Amino acid sequence: MPTQMLAARRGIITPEMNHVAQSEFVSAELVRDLVAAGKIVIPANINHRKLIPCGIGRILRTKVNANIGNSALTGDCTAELEKLRQACKFGADTVMDLSTGGNITVIRQEIIKHSTIPLGTVPVYEIVARAGAKNLGGNTLMQVIKAQAEQGVDYMTIHAGLLKHHVPIALKRKLGIVSRGGALIAAWMKENDRENPFYERFDEILEICRQYDVTLSLGDGLRPGCLADASDEAQFAELAELGNLVKRCRQAGVQAMVEGPGHVPLDQIEMNMLKERELCDDAPFYILGPVVTDCAPGYDHLTAAMGGMVGAFHGAAMLCYVTPKEHIGLPNADDVARGLTAFKIAAHAADIALHRPHARDKDDEISDARAIFDWDKQFSCAIEPERPKRYRQEALAVSTPLPASHGSEFCTMCGPDFCSVRLSARLKKES
Amino acid sequence: MPTQMLAARRGIITPEMNHVAQSEFVSAELVRDLVAAGKIVIPANINHRKLIPCGIGRILRTKVNANIGNSALTGDCTAELEKLRQACKFGADTVMDLSTGGNITVIRQEIIKHSTIPLGTVPVYEIVARAGAKNLGGNTLMQVIKAQAEQGVDYMTIHAGLLKHHVPIALKRKLGIVSRGGALIAAWMKENDRENPFYERFDEILEICRQYDVTLSLGDGLRPGCLADASDEAQFAELAELGNLVKRCRQAGVQAMVEGPGHVPLDQIEMNMLKERELCDDAPFYILGPVVTDCAPGYDHLTAAMGGMVGAFHGAAMLCYVTPKEHIGLPNADDVARGLTAFKIAAHAADIALHRPHARDKDDEISDARAIFDWDKQFSCAIEPERPKRYRQEALAVSTPLPASHGSEFCTMCGPDFCSVRLSARLKKES
């Protein structure tokens, strides 16, 4: 059973490629050619039965990933399935299970069983949870990757680009290494004075990925954790190494995307996107934010969505959402909803600006609905309809009652006499 | 008593200019020269006693305005003063009272009495509330402007650039005229077949503004109300006229800024900022959003903050905040807080990207605090500290209790064993 990439190289248009082409309004031939070239990935493990395939690439609609998963301190299986439901309801294109606490295998099994969207994982978490951080480089490593692939995981974050000689450079930074996986691997390399085991066993990892068509998400263990550390030597040294790994993935017929920053000031986002395109030969760039200011804890769904929008506009293929709890605690189901909504807005705004086919349709529909005060239509066109519905009900409840003749052709912001839309409609009718 | 602009032209550095220079870390001479040239405004009515002056211009820190005010359907004086307190608490640089309901004069009087930040108004609302929309062009017009100037209003939005011949062009749009003031004036012009009375009486208005040093905010009555209408003939025809009015303001020694869009797709924001700079000779650009997607009602504080950040990065001097209630209803005090927080983040992110002096200080401080788990310091550096404090408390309350030896050096996102910051700190110590 070949991977999507190997099939594409043989000229085959798979059902997955067809589905992606139709849902993105592009030709199946284009999807096939870009999958063959590694510029679109379709994470679709052969064992993920319920999967509805999704394409990720710079020329496609911007995707949004939602992270769920427990920590040692909080979160059980029921809570994680609730987060999965929430993620799907609020429009996640993929979901990552980042559990590091108990029951990792069971939680993942349940997620795969229930999820129609691609599932990603970061195997180092399970490796460490099972074997302990000290034994990160032992046999558990390949066992976990193999077991997760067999279970049906569609893509895996592997921090194979963070090499031993990068660590001292990264430790000079203000915030050092803020990637969990990156920090665990760096600590292991330093203590054992050995090279990154994911790097050393990369060919074995590729072999498993090819067998199950697991897409590799080449993790950026050295992503900057604050603006002061952005675009530095450590970050770009690792990115260059990720570019080398992209080549090895493509040689092996394994689909690959590249993960990116992090905390990046607005004026450096475009440069970061172009740099990845150059160093990693346009492998789909999957970015975390980027967060454009460090000093808005509690609001990092906003700081990251703002950076994400700009990143997507300049070429990022997928945005990893950030929730309001980032830097503070584990998100709950409500945080998942809020993070996703902010990122769906960011991705949509970028798609409009990039003139993706039909990207502006809903915007035009909702604007037509606004012009004729069709409130139900406005809600049905909304990226997230529940909040605006509630706002409208609340506003009408507290406002001064009006004669029925006014109908619903106003909102409480201006009231009927100062309503520009009402006035404008009248002028149009008269002219 | 001359205006700030006339003083600057005589070579005088006023106390207001000095204050602006100090708070912005630039020289007083530079502030004076740019006030003289009309590229910085300092809205400071001679009758606004408690005012702490604030400079607005492309080279200064990005400012954020909060709109408050009642409508005919909701809002009284107490509620509006509560919104003012909320606006100041959450960092508004200026506030506009957009009341169109009852008690306009009293509400404004109270706001001026209590406000240390500049107050703006849109006089056409009071004119219409007092005289009725049909009598918009009558004597009430100048009476209201005069009375508001005398009361101490620091800046006024005057829609003098929307001319009779623009109206048919604007009515061809998907959403026509969405500015309240613009729609009222357009309706009056059409019904009376006469030119815009604010345009016709512009010299009288300038006379009053010079007397009290009221800054004119040249309103964009034809701002686009949806993406489909952005950057169209109507919008730019009015903008060119606003450029002519800027010249007349400067000739009269009256400070002026220009108001801008509206709903604009991300890929058109930079062009819009450059166009204003060109057509209006770099008069400070005061933008409403821009909103980057039409279809996120309930979240327009986000859609507008996203566009605002990009606008500020490309030259806008002040952002008018948008609250989550935009397009749905009148904001309450909580909405004011949420809108402001989103916009303070946007303005701050732009200032960092523009390398404004000391813009990144708080970011660097909070990052240092993160590295050593100084939670109190993190909260004190936060743009809005209340939410992150609450999140931390809530997270600790629901998490599994830990041995006291762990201290507070973790958060519930990863727990102590998977904490990258903890690991990174250990590695730094060891190296």
Side-chain angles (χ1 to χ4, degrees):
Chain A
M1 175 85 67
T3 63
Q4 296 289 328
M5 179 181 258
L6 290 171
R9 287 203 194 139
R10 288 178 204 158
I12 300 167
I13 292 173
T14 62
E16 288 81 5
M17 294 174 207
N18 247 323
H19 181 90
V20 168
Q22 277 170 28
S23 61
E24 301 267 357
F25 308 103
V26 295
S27 79
E29 288 73 19
L30 179 67
V31 172
R32 179 196 59 199
D33 294 349
L34 291 175
V35 168
K39 298 182 181 189
I40 288 179
V41 297
I42 305 178
N45 187 308
I46 57 170
N47 287 343
H48 186 176
R49 306 291 173 187
K50 276 185 80 176
L51 180 74
I52 298 171
C54 163
I56 302 167
R58 184 166 56 82
I59 71 134
L60 302 178
R61 190 171 54 75
T62 306
K63 303 304 182 297
V64 176
N65 171 70
N67 288 337
I68 61 174
N70 69 4
S71 78
L73 302 185
T74 170
D76 58 15
C77 192
T78 318
E80 296 315 313
L81 283 178
E82 175 56 23
K83 289 185 203 167
L84 172 68
R85 264 191 298 276
Q86 195 79 334
C88 291
K89 176 177 165 188
F90 286 88
D93 295 293
T94 80
V95 71
M96 288 192 86
D97 174 19
L98 304 188
S99 292
T100 56
N103 268 329
I104 295 188
T105 317
V106 175
I107 289 177
R108 193 172 49 244
Q109 188 70 59
E110 287 300 302
I111 290 174
I112 293 170
K113 205 172 107 189
H114 288 89
S115 177
T116 56
I117 61 178
L119 171 71
T121 60
V122 186
V124 71
Y125 299 160
E126 185 176 354
I127 295 163
V128 168
R130 279 213 214 165
K134 287 195 191 313
N135 301 312
L136 188 159
N139 290 332
T140 315
L141 190 151
M142 292 308 302
Q143 285 161 10
V144 163
I145 292 176
K146 169 98 184 160
Q148 291 200 2
E150 218 172 332
Q151 229 181 355
V153 169
D154 300 294
Y155 67 95
M156 292 182 195
T157 295
I158 299 287
H159 301 90
L162 161 52
L163 302 184
K164 204 168 66 129
H165 71 272
H166 296 145
V167 178
I169 315 173
L171 292 179
K172 284 187 216 150
R173 293 166 153 185
K174 191 182 271 293
L175 260 174
I177 302 174
V178 298
S179 148
R180 285 198 291 199
L184 289 163
I185 295 165
W188 186 89
M189 290 193 288
K190 206 148 177 286
E191 272 152 34
N192 297 277
D193 193 25
R194 281 182 50 195
E195 192 46 275
N196 181 338
F198 292 93
Y199 180 78
E200 295 210 309
R201 307 184 80 164
F202 200 65
D203 285 331
E204 290 170 68
I205 295 172
L206 286 175
E207 188 52 45
I208 293 172
C209 290
R210 190 170 45 209
Q211 195 183 345
Y212 296 93
D213 202 359
V214 174
T215 298
L216 277 183
S217 187
L218 298 166
D220 58 333
L222 298 181
R223 65 169 175 267
C226 62
L227 299 183
D229 293 343
S231 310
D232 72 347
E233 193 192 344
Q235 184 194 330
F236 289 144
E238 184 191 39
L239 186 63
E241 196 52 53
L242 296 182
N244 295 333
L245 295 173
V246 165
K247 279 187 206 133
R248 287 173 66 183
C249 292
R250 288 180 181 174
Q251 277 159 8
V254 168
Q255 304 190 89
M257 49 189 175
V258 171
E259 296 185 12
H263 290 233
V264 181
L266 175 59
D267 58 317
Q268 295 175 18
I269 294 177
E270 180 176 5
M271 179 270 284
N272 268 271
M273 300 303 116
L274 295 176
K275 194 136 192 141
E276 189 272 347
R277 207 183 298 176
E278 180 202 323
L279 292 176
C280 303
D281 190 32
D282 208 8
F285 201 18
Y286 169 25
I287 61 177
L288 180 68
V291 164
V292 291
T293 164
D294 301 328
C295 61
Y299 297 87
D300 280 316
H301 58 318
L302 306 196
T303 66
M306 287 169 170
M309 174 185 74
V310 176
F313 180 60
H314 291 295
M318 179 152 79
L319 309 179
C320 185
Y321 90 160
V322 167
T323 78
K325 292 273 172 66
E326 185 75 17
H327 301 108
I328 312 175
L330 196 73
N332 60 27
D334 188 47
D335 299 317
V336 169
R338 295 167 77 186
L340 264 171
T341 302
F343 273 77
K344 290 300 282 185
I345 290 170
H348 182 64
D351 288 338
I352 291 169
L354 290 164
H355 303 273
R356 300 258 179 270
H358 298 286
R360 220 187 65 192
D361 288 0
K362 286 266 180 191
D363 297 76
D364 291 342
E365 278 179 58
I366 201 171
S367 301
D368 286 333
R370 273 197 182 121
I372 58 169
F373 295 93
D374 183 341
W375 290 96
D376 289 336
K377 178 85 184 181
Q378 288 180 58
F379 300 140
S380 75
C381 290
I383 286 178
E384 194 291 279
E386 288 176 16
R387 188 193 278 187
K389 261 188 219 173
R390 180 165 50 78
Y391 281 172
R392 168 93 178 146
Q393 283 159 359
E394 286 170 7
L396 291 177
V398 300
S399 81
T400 314
L402 280 169
S405 63
H406 277 99
S408 59
E409 300 197 344
F410 65 94
C411 82
T412 58
M413 188 160 188
C414 309
D417 295 336
F418 279 86
C419 175
S420 62
V421 179
R422 201 179 162 97
L423 269 170
S424 208
R426 202 188 76 201
L427 291 179
K428 274 194 183 185
K429 211 179 285 173
E430 289 167 5
S431 64
Chain B
M1 175 86 71
T3 63
Q4 295 290 328
M5 180 181 259
L6 290 170
R9 287 203 195 139
R10 288 177 207 160
I12 299 167
I13 292 173
T14 62
E16 288 81 6
M17 294 173 208
N18 248 323
H19 182 91
V20 168
Q22 278 170 28
S23 61
E24 302 266 358
F25 309 102
V26 295
S27 79
E29 289 72 21
L30 179 68
V31 172
R32 178 196 60 199
D33 294 349
L34 291 176
V35 168
K39 298 183 181 189
I40 287 178
V41 297
I42 304 178
N45 187 308
I46 57 170
N47 286 342
H48 187 175
R49 307 292 172 187
K50 278 184 79 174
L51 181 74
I52 298 171
C54 164
I56 302 166
R58 184 166 56 82
I59 71 133
L60 302 177
R61 191 170 54 75
T62 305
K63 304 304 181 298
V64 175
N65 170 71
N67 289 336
I68 60 173
N70 69 6
S71 77
L73 303 185
T74 170
D76 60 14
C77 193
T78 317
E80 296 315 314
L81 282 179
E82 174 56 24
K83 289 183 203 168
L84 172 68
R85 265 191 297 275
Q86 194 80 333
C88 291
K89 176 177 167 190
F90 287 89
D93 295 291
T94 80
V95 71
M96 289 192 85
D97 174 19
L98 304 188
S99 291
T100 55
N103 270 328
I104 294 187
T105 317
V106 175
I107 289 177
R108 194 172 48 244
Q109 188 69 59
E110 286 300 300
I111 290 175
I112 292 169
K113 206 172 107 191
H114 289 89
S115 178
T116 57
I117 61 177
L119 171 71
T121 60
V122 186
V124 69
Y125 299 160
E126 185 176 356
I127 296 163
V128 168
R130 277 215 216 165
K134 288 195 191 314
N135 301 311
L136 187 158
N139 290 332
T140 315
L141 189 151
M142 292 308 302
Q143 285 161 11
V144 164
I145 291 175
K146 170 96 182 159
Q148 293 199 4
E150 219 172 331
Q151 229 180 356
V153 169
D154 300 294
Y155 67 94
M156 293 183 194
T157 295
I158 299 287
H159 301 91
L162 161 52
L163 302 184
K164 206 169 66 134
H165 70 271
H166 295 145
V167 178
I169 316 174
L171 292 180
K172 284 187 215 148
R173 293 165 151 186
K174 192 182 271 291
L175 261 175
I177 302 174
V178 298
S179 149
R180 286 198 289 198
L184 290 163
I185 295 165
W188 186 90
M189 290 194 286
K190 205 149 180 285
E191 272 153 34
N192 296 276
D193 193 24
R194 282 183 47 195
E195 192 45 275
N196 181 339
F198 292 93
Y199 180 78
E200 294 210 310
R201 306 184 81 164
F202 200 64
D203 284 331
E204 291 171 67
I205 296 171
L206 286 175
E207 188 51 43
I208 293 172
C209 290
R210 190 171 44 209
Q211 196 183 342
Y212 296 93
D213 202 0
V214 174
T215 297
L216 276 184
S217 187
L218 298 166
D220 58 332
L222 298 182
R223 67 169 174 266
C226 63
L227 298 183
D229 294 343
S231 309
D232 73 346
E233 192 191 346
Q235 183 193 330
F236 287 144
E238 184 190 40
L239 186 64
E241 196 52 52
L242 296 181
N244 294 333
L245 296 173
V246 165
K247 278 186 206 135
R248 288 173 65 183
C249 291
R250 289 180 181 175
Q251 277 158 10
V254 169
Q255 304 189 89
M257 49 189 176
V258 171
E259 296 184 12
H263 290 233
V264 181
L266 176 59
D267 58 319
Q268 296 175 17
I269 294 177
E270 181 177 5
M271 179 270 284
N272 269 269
M273 300 303 115
L274 295 176
K275 195 138 192 139
E276 188 272 348
R277 206 182 301 175
E278 179 201 325
L279 292 176
C280 303
D281 191 31
D282 209 7
F285 201 18
Y286 169 26
I287 61 176
L288 179 69
V291 163
V292 291
T293 163
D294 301 328
C295 60
Y299 298 86
D300 280 316
H301 58 317
L302 305 196
T303 66
M306 288 170 169
M309 174 186 75
V310 176
F313 180 61
H314 291 296
M318 180 153 77
L319 309 179
C320 185
Y321 89 160
V322 168
T323 78
K325 293 274 172 67
E326 185 76 17
H327 302 107
I328 312 176
L330 196 72
N332 59 28
D334 187 48
D335 299 317
V336 169
R338 295 166 77 185
L340 264 170
T341 302
F343 273 77
K344 291 300 284 185
I345 290 170
H348 181 64
D351 288 338
I352 291 168
L354 291 164
H355 302 273
R356 300 258 179 269
H358 298 285
R360 220 187 63 192
D361 288 0
K362 287 265 179 191
D363 297 76
D364 291 342
E365 278 179 58
I366 201 171
S367 300
D368 286 333
R370 272 194 184 124
I372 57 169
F373 296 93
D374 184 341
W375 290 96
D376 288 336
K377 179 83 182 177
Q378 287 180 58
F379 300 140
S380 74
C381 290
I383 286 179
E384 194 290 279
E386 289 177 14
R387 188 192 278 186
K389 261 188 219 171
R390 180 163 51 78
Y391 281 173
R392 168 91 178 150
Q393 283 159 0
E394 286 171 6
L396 291 177
V398 301
S399 81
T400 314
L402 280 169
S405 62
H406 277 96
S408 58
E409 300 198 344
F410 65 93
C411 80
T412 57
M413 188 159 188
C414 308
D417 295 336
F418 279 87
C419 176
S420 62
V421 180
R422 202 178 162 96
L423 269 171
S424 208
R426 202 189 76 203
L427 291 180
K428 274 193 186 186
K429 212 177 287 172
E430 289 167 6
S431 63

